[in-house]
Amino acid sequence: MSRIFNFSAGPSMMPESVLERAAKEMLNYADSGMSVMEMSHRSKVYDKIIKDAEKKLREVMAIPDNYKVLFLQGGATMQFSMIPLNLMTKNKKADYIVSGSFSGKAYKEAKKYGDVHLAGTSREDNFSHIATQEELTLREDADYLHICENNTIFGTTYNYLPETNGVPIVSDMSSCILSKPVDVAKYGMIYAGAQKNMGPAGLTVVIVREDLVGEPQEMTPVMLRYDEMVNNDSMYNTPPTYAIYMLGLMLDWVESMGGLKGMEAHNEKKAGILYDYLDQSSFYKTNVVKENRSLMNVTFTTGDEEMDAKFIKASVEKKFSNLKGHRSVGGMRASIYNAMPIEGVEALVAFMKEFEAQNA
Ligand SMILES: *Cc1c(COP(=O)(O)O)cnc(C)c1O
């Protein structure tokens, strides 16, 4: 079978050229006589791979020098614990905006470790918008404000960055990192699981402002301490070596697409095709308010559960994969991360038109 358009929310599609390069280098990387997977993480050849990956990430995202880049394991979810353990240490207070499922989990986990305040939520409208600045109740003495920048399950994204009067913003960018330019200096910390826009699962990238890496809470396990990871260049133990190598290949590809500006244009074009179609259709609808529509995860429904199920079944027969919405919200979701080509979105819209014509 040939490759298909995979709309999975993660792990998700990767560019074919990246997979081909990985395949080509699989058995013998750069004349080392071995696969990257077989290499000691302390070897010279691997040292160059990890250093280059960091260097490329710094270039692509224009990360200022006073930020540390860490390559960790445990997924974005592990950060839900690491963040309060390491950063909720000055006033032992943190503010959280709950804009969906993952930020809800982060909030719940943080509550174990200190005084955590729900600074805003859109739970009442089933997360179809992002709480606006006016809806927030922020504390001036919070050690940080946690947000989830793109809500993978609900298909919403921020169209502003909260004004916090100096309280550092910690942002979960798992499903939007590398999708458009960001001003890293506006954040205290950015983190993301790799499996949406940065490569295979198993790697979590943390970008944290130097001065925030202080003393963690006392009982913090050594593997969960940012300071230990900083002091050991992410090699306190064996890092996820192959996933870091793949991140390097993904970054080369992002550069070849014109960097983050190029990615943004590509993503706006793709999402625009889908939203324009949804807006003119009376058969499909999206619950997300216009100003918070995600470029990465497009959620929609026919408004009828049985029709949605029929749509999903028909889509699978046409070789579109993973269009079923998350089990907690139902409906449909097309995840169109960086690697989804325009043709994939065009083919999806053509199928949606055909299905609408037959079923409206
Ligand atoms: C996927 C995702 C997570 C969970 O990531 P894991 O790596 O599976 O722990 C957290 N936050 C967001 C926004 C996500 O999209």
Side-chain angles (χ1 to χ4, degrees), residues 244-270:
I244 293 167
Y245 154 77
M246 288 299 292
L247 169 63
L249 302 198
M250 288 291 279
L251 289 164
D252 284 344
W253 175 78
V254 169
E255 276 186 331
S256 77
M257 294 287 288
L260 295 188
K261 278 221 168 85
M263 278 322 331
E264 182 179 39
H266 172 69
N267 290 325
E268 279 179 347
K269 188 165 173 197
K270 281 186 309 188

mmCIF file of all heavy atoms in Angstrom, residues 244-270:
data_model
loop_
_atom_site.group_PDB
_atom_site.id
_atom_site.type_symbol
_atom_site.label_atom_id
_atom_site.label_comp_id
_atom_site.label_asym_id
_atom_site.label_seq_id
_atom_site.Cartn_x
_atom_site.Cartn_y
_atom_site.Cartn_z
ATOM 1 N N ILE A 244 16.344 12.567 19.029
ATOM 2 C CA ILE A 244 17.079 13.836 18.921
ATOM 3 C C ILE A 244 17.693 13.968 17.519
ATOM 4 O O ILE A 244 17.662 15.029 16.896
ATOM 5 C CB ILE A 244 18.154 13.934 20.027
ATOM 6 C CG1 ILE A 244 17.480 14.034 21.402
ATOM 7 C CG2 ILE A 244 19.105 15.119 19.778
ATOM 8 C CD1 ILE A 244 18.410 13.832 22.589
ATOM 9 N N TYR A 245 18.224 12.854 17.015
ATOM 10 C CA TYR A 245 18.751 12.837 15.642
ATOM 11 C C TYR A 245 17.640 13.193 14.648
ATOM 12 O O TYR A 245 17.819 14.016 13.739
ATOM 13 C CB TYR A 245 19.334 11.445 15.368
ATOM 14 C CG TYR A 245 19.366 11.022 13.918
ATOM 15 C CD1 TYR A 245 20.324 11.525 13.031
ATOM 16 C CD2 TYR A 245 18.443 10.095 13.429
ATOM 17 C CE1 TYR A 245 20.347 11.121 11.706
ATOM 18 C CE2 TYR A 245 18.464 9.681 12.110
ATOM 19 C CZ TYR A 245 19.404 10.197 11.250
ATOM 20 O OH TYR A 245 19.417 9.794 9.945
ATOM 21 N N MET A 246 16.446 12.605 14.861
ATOM 22 C CA MET A 246 15.317 12.888 13.954
ATOM 23 C C MET A 246 14.897 14.355 14.041
ATOM 24 O O MET A 246 14.502 14.948 13.039
ATOM 25 C CB MET A 246 14.130 11.970 14.276
ATOM 26 C CG MET A 246 14.334 10.519 13.872
ATOM 27 S SD MET A 246 14.601 10.273 12.097
ATOM 28 C CE MET A 246 12.985 10.706 11.446
ATOM 29 N N LEU A 247 14.963 14.928 15.223
ATOM 30 C CA LEU A 247 14.656 16.359 15.363
ATOM 31 C C LEU A 247 15.589 17.175 14.468
ATOM 32 O O LEU A 247 15.166 18.119 13.800
ATOM 33 C CB LEU A 247 14.795 16.805 16.836
ATOM 34 C CG LEU A 247 14.766 18.325 17.069
ATOM 35 C CD1 LEU A 247 13.433 18.938 16.650
ATOM 36 C CD2 LEU A 247 15.064 18.654 18.538
ATOM 37 N N GLY A 248 16.860 16.792 14.442
ATOM 38 C CA GLY A 248 17.833 17.484 13.573
ATOM 39 C C GLY A 248 17.395 17.434 12.117
ATOM 40 O O GLY A 248 17.431 18.446 11.404
ATOM 41 N N LEU A 249 16.941 16.257 11.673
ATOM 42 C CA LEU A 249 16.489 16.136 10.278
ATOM 43 C C LEU A 249 15.238 16.981 10.038
ATOM 44 O O LEU A 249 15.086 17.615 8.987
ATOM 45 C CB LEU A 249 16.184 14.672 9.922
ATOM 46 C CG LEU A 249 17.275 13.610 10.071
ATOM 47 C CD1 LEU A 249 16.903 12.360 9.266
ATOM 48 C CD2 LEU A 249 18.639 14.100 9.636
ATOM 49 N N MET A 250 14.321 16.974 11.029
ATOM 50 C CA MET A 250 13.095 17.783 10.893
ATOM 51 C C MET A 250 13.448 19.267 10.782
ATOM 52 O O MET A 250 12.829 20.008 10.008
ATOM 53 C CB MET A 250 12.180 17.565 12.101
ATOM 54 C CG MET A 250 11.510 16.210 12.127
ATOM 55 S SD MET A 250 10.263 15.997 10.828
ATOM 56 C CE MET A 250 8.865 16.839 11.558
ATOM 57 N N LEU A 251 14.442 19.707 11.557
ATOM 58 C CA LEU A 251 14.816 21.123 11.529
ATOM 59 C C LEU A 251 15.442 21.502 10.188
ATOM 60 O O LEU A 251 15.204 22.595 9.678
ATOM 61 C CB LEU A 251 15.751 21.438 12.699
ATOM 62 C CG LEU A 251 15.054 21.422 14.069
ATOM 63 C CD1 LEU A 251 16.071 21.357 15.193
ATOM 64 C CD2 LEU A 251 14.143 22.644 14.243
ATOM 65 N N ASP A 252 16.218 20.581 9.608
ATOM 66 C CA ASP A 252 16.762 20.838 8.265
ATOM 67 C C ASP A 252 15.614 21.039 7.285
ATOM 68 O O ASP A 252 15.666 21.914 6.408
ATOM 69 C CB ASP A 252 17.618 19.653 7.789
ATOM 70 C CG ASP A 252 18.977 19.627 8.467
ATOM 71 O OD1 ASP A 252 19.371 20.655 9.053
ATOM 72 O OD2 ASP A 252 19.652 18.570 8.418
ATOM 73 N N TRP A 253 14.592 20.224 7.436
ATOM 74 C CA TRP A 253 13.428 20.331 6.539
ATOM 75 C C TRP A 253 12.691 21.667 6.749
ATOM 76 O O TRP A 253 12.332 22.334 5.784
ATOM 77 C CB TRP A 253 12.490 19.141 6.770
ATOM 78 C CG TRP A 253 11.224 19.232 5.973
ATOM 79 C CD1 TRP A 253 11.076 18.945 4.640
ATOM 80 C CD2 TRP A 253 9.941 19.669 6.442
ATOM 81 N NE1 TRP A 253 9.766 19.177 4.259
ATOM 82 C CE2 TRP A 253 9.044 19.618 5.348
ATOM 83 C CE3 TRP A 253 9.456 20.089 7.687
ATOM 84 C CZ2 TRP A 253 7.707 19.970 5.448
ATOM 85 C CZ3 TRP A 253 8.125 20.433 7.796
ATOM 86 C CH2 TRP A 253 7.257 20.380 6.686
ATOM 87 N N VAL A 254 12.513 22.052 8.010
ATOM 88 C CA VAL A 254 11.844 23.340 8.293
ATOM 89 C C VAL A 254 12.638 24.481 7.645
ATOM 90 O O VAL A 254 12.062 25.379 7.016
ATOM 91 C CB VAL A 254 11.682 23.572 9.823
ATOM 92 C CG1 VAL A 254 11.253 25.009 10.114
ATOM 93 C CG2 VAL A 254 10.668 22.590 10.420
ATOM 94 N N GLU A 255 13.963 24.407 7.752
ATOM 95 C CA GLU A 255 14.803 25.442 7.119
ATOM 96 C C GLU A 255 14.589 25.454 5.607
ATOM 97 O O GLU A 255 14.477 26.517 4.995
ATOM 98 C CB GLU A 255 16.282 25.210 7.446
ATOM 99 C CG GLU A 255 16.655 25.814 8.792
ATOM 100 C CD GLU A 255 18.147 25.727 9.091
ATOM 101 O OE1 GLU A 255 18.812 24.784 8.598
ATOM 102 O OE2 GLU A 255 18.631 26.601 9.836
ATOM 103 N N SER A 256 14.481 24.266 5.035
ATOM 104 C CA SER A 256 14.291 24.176 3.573
ATOM 105 C C SER A 256 12.923 24.717 3.147
ATOM 106 O O SER A 256 12.706 25.036 1.984
ATOM 107 C CB SER A 256 14.450 22.726 3.104
ATOM 108 O OG SER A 256 13.282 21.982 3.412
ATOM 109 N N MET A 257 11.989 24.801 4.100
ATOM 110 C CA MET A 257 10.647 25.331 3.808
ATOM 111 C C MET A 257 10.589 26.838 4.039
ATOM 112 O O MET A 257 9.506 27.435 4.048
ATOM 113 C CB MET A 257 9.608 24.668 4.713
ATOM 114 C CG MET A 257 9.418 23.189 4.477
ATOM 115 S SD MET A 257 8.530 22.829 2.942
ATOM 116 C CE MET A 257 6.860 23.337 3.387
ATOM 117 N N GLY A 258 11.738 27.443 4.305
ATOM 118 C CA GLY A 258 11.768 28.888 4.551
ATOM 119 C C GLY A 258 11.688 29.235 6.020
ATOM 120 O O GLY A 258 11.225 30.333 6.376
ATOM 121 N N GLY A 259 12.086 28.297 6.862
ATOM 122 C CA GLY A 259 12.080 28.572 8.311
ATOM 123 C C GLY A 259 10.667 28.731 8.836
ATOM 124 O O GLY A 259 9.695 28.316 8.195
ATOM 125 N N LEU A 260 10.532 29.362 9.999
ATOM 126 C CA LEU A 260 9.211 29.448 10.627
ATOM 127 C C LEU A 260 8.274 30.392 9.874
ATOM 128 O O LEU A 260 7.063 30.186 9.876
ATOM 129 C CB LEU A 260 9.346 29.860 12.096
ATOM 130 C CG LEU A 260 10.079 28.830 12.972
ATOM 131 C CD1 LEU A 260 9.995 29.216 14.440
ATOM 132 C CD2 LEU A 260 9.525 27.420 12.776
ATOM 133 N N LYS A 261 8.825 31.391 9.208
ATOM 134 C CA LYS A 261 7.979 32.268 8.380
ATOM 135 C C LYS A 261 7.372 31.474 7.223
ATOM 136 O O LYS A 261 6.184 31.600 6.927
ATOM 137 C CB LYS A 261 8.815 33.424 7.812
ATOM 138 C CG LYS A 261 9.007 34.560 8.793
ATOM 139 C CD LYS A 261 8.869 35.912 8.053
ATOM 140 C CE LYS A 261 8.770 37.052 9.050
ATOM 141 N NZ LYS A 261 10.132 37.502 9.461
ATOM 142 N N GLY A 262 8.202 30.657 6.612
ATOM 143 C CA GLY A 262 7.733 29.803 5.519
ATOM 144 C C GLY A 262 6.695 28.811 6.013
ATOM 145 O O GLY A 262 5.671 28.577 5.359
ATOM 146 N N MET A 263 6.954 28.240 7.184
ATOM 147 C CA MET A 263 6.008 27.278 7.764
ATOM 148 C C MET A 263 4.666 27.947 8.025
ATOM 149 O O MET A 263 3.611 27.374 7.766
ATOM 150 C CB MET A 263 6.531 26.733 9.107
ATOM 151 C CG MET A 263 7.503 25.631 9.132
ATOM 152 S SD MET A 263 7.561 24.200 8.057
ATOM 153 C CE MET A 263 5.980 23.812 7.512
ATOM 154 N N GLU A 264 4.728 29.162 8.553
ATOM 155 C CA GLU A 264 3.488 29.882 8.874
ATOM 156 C C GLU A 264 2.650 30.105 7.606
ATOM 157 O O GLU A 264 1.430 29.857 7.605
ATOM 158 C CB GLU A 264 3.820 31.228 9.529
ATOM 159 C CG GLU A 264 2.592 32.019 9.928
ATOM 160 C CD GLU A 264 2.941 33.341 10.606
ATOM 161 O OE1 GLU A 264 3.919 33.997 10.171
ATOM 162 O OE2 GLU A 264 2.250 33.702 11.569
ATOM 163 N N ALA A 265 3.304 30.539 6.540
ATOM 164 C CA ALA A 265 2.574 30.781 5.285
ATOM 165 C C ALA A 265 1.937 29.483 4.791
ATOM 166 O O ALA A 265 0.768 29.443 4.399
ATOM 167 C CB ALA A 265 3.526 31.353 4.236
ATOM 168 N N HIS A 266 2.715 28.422 4.835
ATOM 169 C CA HIS A 266 2.261 27.085 4.423
ATOM 170 C C HIS A 266 1.061 26.657 5.287
ATOM 171 O O HIS A 266 0.041 26.194 4.772
ATOM 172 C CB HIS A 266 3.462 26.152 4.608
ATOM 173 C CG HIS A 266 3.219 24.690 4.423
ATOM 174 N ND1 HIS A 266 2.927 24.138 3.210
ATOM 175 C CD2 HIS A 266 3.255 23.656 5.307
ATOM 176 C CE1 HIS A 266 2.798 22.817 3.346
ATOM 177 N NE2 HIS A 266 2.981 22.501 4.613
ATOM 178 N N ASN A 267 1.162 26.849 6.585
ATOM 179 C CA ASN A 267 0.090 26.408 7.495
ATOM 180 C C ASN A 267 -1.164 27.271 7.356
ATOM 181 O O ASN A 267 -2.285 26.766 7.438
ATOM 182 C CB ASN A 267 0.589 26.410 8.938
ATOM 183 C CG ASN A 267 1.610 25.307 9.185
ATOM 184 O OD1 ASN A 267 1.493 24.226 8.610
ATOM 185 N ND2 ASN A 267 2.596 25.564 10.031
ATOM 186 N N GLU A 268 -0.979 28.567 7.149
ATOM 187 C CA GLU A 268 -2.149 29.444 6.990
ATOM 188 C C GLU A 268 -2.902 29.094 5.712
ATOM 189 O O GLU A 268 -4.131 29.102 5.677
ATOM 190 C CB GLU A 268 -1.716 30.919 6.980
ATOM 191 C CG GLU A 268 -1.491 31.425 8.398
ATOM 192 C CD GLU A 268 -1.041 32.872 8.472
ATOM 193 O OE1 GLU A 268 -0.655 33.444 7.424
ATOM 194 O OE2 GLU A 268 -1.051 33.411 9.599
ATOM 195 N N LYS A 269 -2.150 28.784 4.690
ATOM 196 C CA LYS A 269 -2.770 28.421 3.423
ATOM 197 C C LYS A 269 -3.598 27.139 3.592
ATOM 198 O O LYS A 269 -4.765 27.067 3.194
ATOM 199 C CB LYS A 269 -1.677 28.230 2.372
ATOM 200 C CG LYS A 269 -2.213 28.049 0.981
ATOM 201 C CD LYS A 269 -1.120 28.220 -0.063
ATOM 202 C CE LYS A 269 -1.668 27.849 -1.436
ATOM 203 N NZ LYS A 269 -0.612 27.598 -2.400
ATOM 204 N N LYS A 270 -2.972 26.138 4.219
ATOM 205 C CA LYS A 270 -3.654 24.848 4.413
ATOM 206 C C LYS A 270 -4.919 25.002 5.244
ATOM 207 O O LYS A 270 -5.996 24.531 4.874
ATOM 208 C CB LYS A 270 -2.723 23.865 5.143
ATOM 209 C CG LYS A 270 -1.696 23.217 4.271
ATOM 210 C CD LYS A 270 -0.919 22.146 5.035
ATOM 211 C CE LYS A 270 -0.369 22.620 6.338
ATOM 212 N NZ LYS A 270 0.527 21.699 7.015
#
